[in-house]
Amino acid sequence: MSHRTMTRQVLLFISVLSLSSVNGQASYSIPEEMAKGSLVGNIAQDLGLDIKRLKSGKARIYTGDSAEYIELNKERGVLLIKERIDREALCGQTTPCALHFQLILNPMELFQITIEITDINDNAPSFKKNEKRFEISESAVIGSKFVLEKAGDADIGLNGLQSYSLKPTDNFALKLENQVDGSKKVEMVLQKPLDREKQEQVSLVLTAIDGGEPRLSGTVQIHVIVLDANDNAPVFTQPVYKATITENSPKGTYLTKVSASDADTGSNGEVSYSISNNMDSVSDMFHIHANGEVILVGKVDFEKAKHYQIDIEAIDNGGLSDSSKVIVDVIDINDNAPVTSVLSKSSSIPEDSIQNTVVAMFSVHDPDSDINGQVHCGINENIPFTIKATSNGFYSLVTDSELDRERASEYNISVTCSDEGVPSLSSSVTLTLQISDVNDNAPVFERSSYEAYIIENNTPGLSIFTVKARDADWNQNARVSYILEDSSVNGVPVSSYVSISADSGVIQALRSFDYEQIKDFQFRVKAQDGGSPPLSSNVTVKIMIQDQNDNAPQVLYPVQTSSSLMAEMVPRAADVGYLVTKVVAVDVDSGQNAWLSYKLQKSTDRALFEVGLQNGEIRTIRQVNDKDAVKQRLTVVVEDNGQPSRSATVNVNVAVADSFPEVLSEFTDFTHDKEYNDNLTFYLVLALAVVSFFFIVSIIAILSVKCYRWRRERMFYKSNGNLPVIPYYPPLYADVGGTGTLRHVYNYELCGTADSRKSDMKYVRPYSQSIISLDGTQTLPHAQRDTLINDNGDNQVRTSSAYILFSMCATV
């Protein structure tokens, strides 16, 4: 207490010195015994401080030398219980009880904090000793006083000691007397005379009670010994004693203790006991000691005798006596296990047996009695069987749910019969039951559908893949056969495409497949078991044909013919990047096998032209000048991306000129390589005839192509194939919408005279660039995007997407 007083004085001194710097104070009231981490109060809010200020000011609690019961949580700005507070240990009986400490911030700020600790009723009143003994003569006078011990309570106020009570109040009463210090003097006063013959010892309980909620109390036992004279004969405490003993108890087992009381003291109060039965079976079975204890000296069996009666006599030294008897009940113990006998059983039942099908019958007998002889039979759990009682001691084992051989083909049924004794005894018998199979499971494929891939141009008879179905049944019922269901692919039976092995499910190709004709097909396979009747299931199989690079690219434009020479015309004023023409090619393969690339293989002037790698566009790579030759011949290689790759080549003739006469003179030499003939009229007539011939041939070719395309579309439509439709564009064909293969249209006018040197070829409104076809003195114009009309209005030919116009004016 002196150390605590010094600590408080130091704290008070610090508080006085720093009074000028105290910025505020906060007070809280909390009950004692709060758990660690409990909230005391929001100090930041109560002092008007920001949480950031607590952190920046390194807030801390100063308690001096006293223990730290409170801690500061700077993150939340609250005070928490750091250690459990016991008000009684902290302040004792002092009230009020409070904690005083300071909250310090940098720069120096000081806040005074007071936390009052309120009392809770956590201490019960208690006595220093648990019992108090008094020896009082039965001759004591009424009103005699006996001082009792006062109780103490560490709590204060209402939670402290409030009252006393004494029970029972037959002989004594409780008297309380206030004292100067505020406590109470506690006394026990005799209010009724004592009688040793009636009550040799009096036991009382003194209870001290506080005023808390709930109320707590403490007790002390008071024992009063009553002294008396000897003037009475022995008397048994009861005329009949009852005892119980379990059968098979060992010798020396205690049954009961008889007691005869003598009110006298000394030698006159001494009593001896004996068994007075005249039957040897009883005297040989039991024995009584001098202190009245009856023990077993023989062997008892419940099944032989259930009850025994023992006559007991009590005699004091004065010759006075009394008699009583002991009734002994023998208690049956569970020393016999149930006996189970199987009357009949089945070794096998089919899995489709109905519920309550009898599997076995048996009887159970237990020679014990009552609950020791009551028997309950059960079987191991999680099996579809149960036991039913048919009559007293007879039971039947029956099915209680559906059987499934696929889940369990055999059961080892353990029947256990147990009695209700403690401990319980039991006997078991195990029955083995086979479950025979019925065809109740259809084959199940490993997948809900199958997809397989095969490369085109395969070898007939090649194994594609295997379908597999499993049947959960057994033996013949689980034997699966595979059947190809009837169906057709493009009007052809699927059995001509593939076959399936009935035993293994291996699917083989019966023909070589061509990806360009058929890309995939599907059919259904049936799996059927060998049961009777058979069960089956179906699955869809889809065969995907994988493409091989077995087709070379096909050049659609420019068209290569042996009868005429096609040439693209480039003006000498063409800029860099001028589009000369576009090589258009397709590949009927698919995927990367149809990815085409274009390369310039040969060129009269490699520094003048280039070809686009992906689009096949031929463009100039420099400015065309007068020194460039009129005749330019390019060889373009079109190559696909297959492994190994396939390619095609196309020759492109380019005329670098600004007028047709220049082109005609150069290309006439190039194509014919013969001397100039002065007979111009003859050649003019010949040229007109050739032009007319090619005009008619072109018309027939166009009509043939249209007819051919129409027939091919009809054929593809009927075959339901998925082959890609590759448009075929004849020479000089243009797509009106600008989305076709040839995206440029042209228009020229050619006038020829008897004198070829006076002939002229006029370039009329080119859409992109011009193309000429030369065969001697013949000229063939391109098709324009929408409509090309001859100046003379003659001979108009219309296709589905462009018009081709030929005109010739001649002077003979």
Side-chain angles (χ1 to χ4, degrees):
M1 290 297 292
S2 61
H3 175 71
R4 185 179 299 171
T5 303
M6 289 181 64
T7 301
R8 291 178 178 173
Q9 291 175 353
V10 171
L11 290 176
L12 181 60
F13 178 71
I14 293 175
S15 300
V16 172
L17 289 180
S18 58
L19 185 62
S20 60
S21 61
V22 172
N23 295 329
Q25 62 181 3
S27 298
Y28 300 96
S29 178
I30 62 172
E32 63 174 327
E33 304 293 345
M34 290 182 69
K36 292 176 65 176
S38 299
L39 177 66
V40 175
N42 192 326
I43 190 66
Q45 179 179 339
D46 295 339
L47 294 178
L49 297 175
D50 189 83
I51 294 180
K52 295 181 179 178
R53 173 68 181 111
L54 295 177
K55 295 179 181 178
S56 62
K58 298 181 180 180
R60 62 190 182 277
I61 289 177
Y62 176 76
T63 61
D65 296 333
S66 60
E68 293 187 10
Y69 293 99
I70 307 298
E71 65 178 350
L72 173 65
N73 186 321
K74 291 184 284 186
E75 299 294 332
R76 298 167 51 194
V78 296
L79 295 178
L80 303 176
I81 298 294
K82 183 178 182 181
E83 295 292 339
R84 186 180 66 86
I85 302 175
D86 185 358
R87 192 205 65 81
E88 288 74 29
L90 183 64
C91 299
Q93 294 294 320
T94 302
T95 182
C97 180
L99 294 175
H100 302 277
F101 55 91
Q102 290 77 35
L103 176 66
I104 302 176
L105 296 176
N106 292 331
M108 183 59 69
E109 282 189 79
L110 186 66
F111 298 91
Q112 188 71 35
I113 300 174
T114 301
I115 298 180
E116 181 182 359
I117 309 301
T118 60
D119 182 50
I120 64 173
N121 192 25
D122 57 342
N123 293 279
S126 61
F127 294 90
K128 290 183 179 181
K129 296 181 180 180
N130 294 330
E131 61 181 10
K132 177 73 174 177
R133 300 181 69 87
F134 293 96
E135 290 186 359
I136 304 174
S137 175
E138 64 176 339
S139 61
V141 297
I142 296 175
S144 300
K145 297 181 180 180
F146 305 92
V147 179
L148 302 178
E149 178 188 356
K150 294 186 291 183
D153 193 331
D155 293 324
I156 60 174
L158 289 176
N159 294 329
L161 180 63
Q162 298 294 324
S163 62
Y164 293 90
S165 66
L166 181 66
K167 292 183 180 180
T169 58
D170 297 337
N171 297 97
F172 296 93
L174 182 65
K175 180 179 179 182
L176 302 177
E177 183 178 344
N178 293 327
Q179 293 184 318
V180 178
D181 60 355
S183 62
K184 294 182 180 181
K185 181 179 180 181
V186 183
E187 294 178 325
M188 182 176 67
V189 180
L190 181 65
Q191 64 179 2
K192 182 180 179 181
L194 297 174
D195 187 352
R196 196 195 66 82
E197 285 73 29
K198 293 182 180 179
Q199 191 173 9
E200 184 178 357
Q201 179 176 326
V202 178
S203 296
L204 303 99
V205 177
L206 177 64
T207 303
I209 306 171
D210 63 17
E213 185 63 36
R215 290 192 173 189
L216 301 179
S217 62
T219 60
V220 60
Q221 294 285 335
I222 301 174
H223 302 284
V224 177
I225 307 301
V226 181
L227 304 177
D228 196 9
N230 184 21
D231 57 353
N232 293 285
V235 176
F236 276 101
T237 56
Q238 55 190 70
V240 177
Y241 294 87
K242 289 186 178 182
T244 57
I245 187 172
T246 58
E247 64 173 326
N248 300 329
S249 294
K251 292 181 180 181
T253 300
Y254 172 83
L255 275 75
T256 187
K257 181 179 182 179
V258 298
S259 177
S261 61
D262 194 322
D264 296 329
T265 60
S267 60
N268 292 329
E270 296 178 358
V271 179
S272 61
Y273 303 93
S274 64
I275 296 177
S276 60
N277 288 76
N278 56 4
M279 297 177 60
D280 294 338
S281 59
V282 175
S283 59
D284 294 341
M285 187 76 67
F286 304 98
H287 175 73
I288 186 169
H289 289 302
N291 61 357
E293 291 182 354
V294 181
I295 62 173
L296 176 69
V297 294
K299 182 179 181 180
V300 293
D301 187 353
F302 177 82
E303 283 72 31
K304 293 181 179 180
K306 297 179 176 57
H307 307 283
Y308 292 94
Q309 179 175 310
I310 307 172
D311 294 330
I312 306 296
E313 184 178 8
I315 303 173
D316 62 13
N317 289 336
L320 299 177
S321 65
D322 193 9
S323 64
S324 180
K325 64 177 61 177
V326 177
I327 304 298
V328 180
D329 293 328
V330 180
I331 300 175
D332 180 39
I333 64 172
N334 194 25
D335 56 347
N336 294 282
V339 178
T340 304
S341 301
V342 178
L343 304 179
S344 65
K345 66 174 182 177
S346 299
S347 60
S348 176
I349 60 173
E351 63 176 322
D352 60 349
S353 298
I354 63 174
Q355 191 171 350
N356 294 324
T357 299
V358 178
V359 176
M361 296 186 65
F362 55 93
S363 64
V364 182
H365 173 67
D366 193 325
D368 292 323
S369 64
D370 298 331
I371 61 174
N372 294 329
Q374 295 180 5
V375 179
H376 295 282
C377 295
I379 58 176
N380 43 316
E381 297 180 354
N382 300 324
I383 60 174
F385 301 95
T386 188
I387 292 178
K388 290 186 177 181
T390 56
S391 60
N392 187 21
F394 292 90
Y395 300 87
S396 61
L397 176 66
V398 300
T399 60
D400 71 340
S401 61
E402 295 181 354
L403 302 177
D404 189 353
R405 190 208 65 82
E406 288 68 43
R407 287 187 295 180
S409 61
E410 179 181 279
Y411 290 96
N412 290 320
I413 307 171
S414 179
V415 179
T416 302
C417 295
S418 305
D419 57 30
E420 296 185 1
V422 179
S424 177
L425 298 179
S426 63
S427 62
S428 300
V429 61
T430 300
L431 306 175
T432 300
L433 180 65
Q434 301 288 336
I435 308 299
S436 59
D437 185 50
V438 297
N439 191 27
D440 58 347
N441 289 278
V444 177
F445 283 94
E446 294 178 345
R447 302 180 188 174
S448 58
S449 63
Y450 290 88
E451 284 190 1
Y453 296 86
I454 184 172
I455 299 176
E456 66 173 330
N457 303 320
N458 60 286
T459 303
L462 177 67
S463 295
I464 303 176
F465 76 112
T466 302
V467 295
K468 193 69 176 178
R470 301 186 183 276
D471 196 312
D473 292 323
W474 181 76
N475 206 357
Q476 184 66 25
N477 294 332
R479 188 168 299 167
V480 180
S481 299
Y482 301 93
I483 303 170
L484 188 65
E485 291 191 349
D486 293 335
S487 61
S488 61
V489 178
N490 297 334
V492 179
V494 72
S495 57
S496 65
Y497 283 86
V498 293
S499 66
I500 188 169
S501 172
D503 296 327
S504 63
V506 175
I507 297 177
Q508 293 179 321
L510 297 180
R511 62 168 64 180
S512 179
F513 296 106
D514 186 357
Y515 176 83
E516 286 69 41
Q517 293 183 0
I518 181 171
K519 291 180 173 56
D520 60 71
F521 63 93
Q522 65 182 22
F523 53 90
R524 293 181 68 81
V525 174
K526 179 170 70 173
Q528 181 174 287
D529 61 25
S532 180
L535 300 177
S536 63
S537 61
N538 299 316
V539 71
T540 299
V541 180
K542 186 174 184 180
I543 305 297
M544 314 290 288
I545 312 300
Q546 292 183 319
D547 182 47
Q548 276 190 328
N549 193 25
D550 56 347
N551 291 279
Q554 298 177 5
V555 178
L556 300 181
Y557 184 85
V559 179
Q560 301 294 296
T561 62
S562 59
S563 60
S564 63
L565 181 63
M566 305 294 297
E568 304 288 343
M569 190 172 119
V570 178
R572 294 189 179 275
D575 294 329
V576 176
Y578 178 82
L579 179 62
V580 178
T581 187
K582 180 177 181 179
V583 177
V584 179
V586 295
D587 195 320
V588 295
D589 291 324
S590 66
Q592 66 178 8
N593 294 330
W595 295 352
L596 301 181
S597 60
Y598 302 84
K599 298 178 182 177
L600 186 62
Q601 187 180 44
K602 295 180 182 180
S603 175
T604 303
D605 188 351
R606 281 189 171 273
L608 183 56
F609 301 102
E610 66 174 358
V611 61
L613 180 63
Q614 303 297 331
N615 54 24
E617 294 178 350
I618 298 177
R619 296 179 179 270
T620 59
I621 58 177
R622 63 173 175 81
Q623 182 73 39
V624 180
N625 55 50
D626 296 338
K627 295 180 180 181
D628 293 323
V630 175
K631 297 181 293 182
Q632 299 285 339
R633 186 179 181 88
L634 311 178
T635 301
V636 178
V637 177
V638 183
E639 188 178 47
D640 60 28
N641 198 38
Q643 293 295 332
S645 63
R646 296 176 177 269
S647 62
T649 59
V650 59
N651 294 322
V652 180
N653 295 309
V654 179
V656 180
D658 292 327
S659 63
F660 279 179
E662 182 182 358
V663 175
L664 288 175
S665 63
E666 292 291 336
F667 276 84
T668 300
D669 295 338
F670 175 76
T671 57
H672 296 282
D673 292 329
K674 58 184 178 179
E675 295 179 357
Y676 179 76
N677 193 333
D678 292 334
N679 194 356
L680 297 179
T681 302
F682 172 77
Y683 287 108
L684 180 59
V685 173
L686 181 61
L688 289 174
V690 171
V691 169
S692 299
F693 172 77
F694 276 102
F695 175 80
I696 296 172
V697 169
S698 299
I699 295 299
I700 295 174
I702 292 173
L703 295 177
S704 299
V705 169
K706 295 292 286 184
C707 181
Y708 171 78
R709 289 181 61 189
W710 177 79
R711 291 182 62 188
R712 186 173 62 177
E713 291 174 355
R714 292 280 295 177
M715 179 181 66
F716 285 175
Y717 176 79
K718 292 180 178 180
S719 64
N720 292 327
N722 295 323
L723 297 178
V725 178
I726 302 173
Y728 172 78
Y729 295 96
L732 310 181
Y733 181 81
D735 182 11
V736 175
T739 60
T741 304
L742 303 181
R743 306 184 59 178
H744 307 286
V745 294
Y746 313 89
N747 183 21
Y748 296 92
E749 287 185 2
L750 177 64
C751 295
T753 63
D755 186 357
S756 63
R757 289 173 296 179
K758 297 180 180 180
S759 300
D760 188 19
M761 180 172 63
K762 183 180 181 182
Y763 171 58
V764 182
R765 292 194 306 162
Y767 176 74
S768 174
Q769 73 274 356
S770 299
I771 179 173
I772 62 174
S773 175
L774 302 174
D775 188 4
T777 58
Q778 303 176 31
T779 302
L780 183 66
H782 269 289
Q784 195 169 354
R785 173 175 294 270
D786 297 322
T787 305
L788 297 180
I789 303 176
N790 187 294
D791 291 339
N792 297 325
D794 299 331
N795 300 329
Q796 224 177 40
V797 180
R798 170 171 296 188
T799 66
S800 62
S801 62
Y803 294 95
I804 300 176
L805 176 63
F806 292 88
S807 64
M808 177 68 72
C809 58
T811 303
V812 181

mmCIF file of all heavy atoms in Angstrom, residues 64 246 275 352 755:
data_model
loop_
_atom_site.group_PDB
_atom_site.id
_atom_site.type_symbol
_atom_site.label_atom_id
_atom_site.label_comp_id
_atom_site.label_asym_id
_atom_site.label_seq_id
_atom_site.Cartn_x
_atom_site.Cartn_y
_atom_site.Cartn_z
ATOM 1 N N GLY A 64 3.225 6.683 -15.227
ATOM 2 C CA GLY A 64 4.173 6.704 -14.118
ATOM 3 C C GLY A 64 4.682 5.297 -13.827
ATOM 4 O O GLY A 64 4.995 4.534 -14.723
ATOM 5 N N THR A 246 -26.108 -58.717 -6.849
ATOM 6 C CA THR A 246 -26.124 -59.275 -8.197
ATOM 7 C C THR A 246 -25.634 -60.707 -8.174
ATOM 8 O O THR A 246 -24.774 -61.090 -7.363
ATOM 9 C CB THR A 246 -25.231 -58.443 -9.130
ATOM 10 O OG1 THR A 246 -23.909 -58.417 -8.603
ATOM 11 C CG2 THR A 246 -25.761 -57.029 -9.254
ATOM 12 N N ILE A 275 -27.062 -63.875 13.412
ATOM 13 C CA ILE A 275 -28.104 -64.365 12.493
ATOM 14 C C ILE A 275 -28.859 -65.460 13.219
ATOM 15 O O ILE A 275 -28.266 -66.459 13.682
ATOM 16 C CB ILE A 275 -27.481 -64.885 11.187
ATOM 17 C CG1 ILE A 275 -26.794 -63.742 10.436
ATOM 18 C CG2 ILE A 275 -28.538 -65.534 10.308
ATOM 19 C CD1 ILE A 275 -26.080 -64.186 9.176
ATOM 20 N N ASP A 352 -33.513 -58.515 -59.849
ATOM 21 C CA ASP A 352 -34.827 -57.886 -60.021
ATOM 22 C C ASP A 352 -35.853 -58.425 -59.034
ATOM 23 O O ASP A 352 -37.059 -58.321 -59.275
ATOM 24 C CB ASP A 352 -35.311 -58.073 -61.454
ATOM 25 C CG ASP A 352 -35.449 -59.541 -61.851
ATOM 26 O OD1 ASP A 352 -34.975 -60.407 -61.082
ATOM 27 O OD2 ASP A 352 -36.012 -59.819 -62.928
ATOM 28 N N ASP A 755 -4.142 1.621 -145.516
ATOM 29 C CA ASP A 755 -2.753 1.930 -145.185
ATOM 30 C C ASP A 755 -2.599 1.816 -143.666
ATOM 31 O O ASP A 755 -3.150 2.623 -142.926
ATOM 32 C CB ASP A 755 -2.401 3.352 -145.649
ATOM 33 C CG ASP A 755 -0.900 3.627 -145.450
ATOM 34 O OD1 ASP A 755 -0.213 2.722 -144.910
ATOM 35 O OD2 ASP A 755 -0.477 4.723 -145.826
#
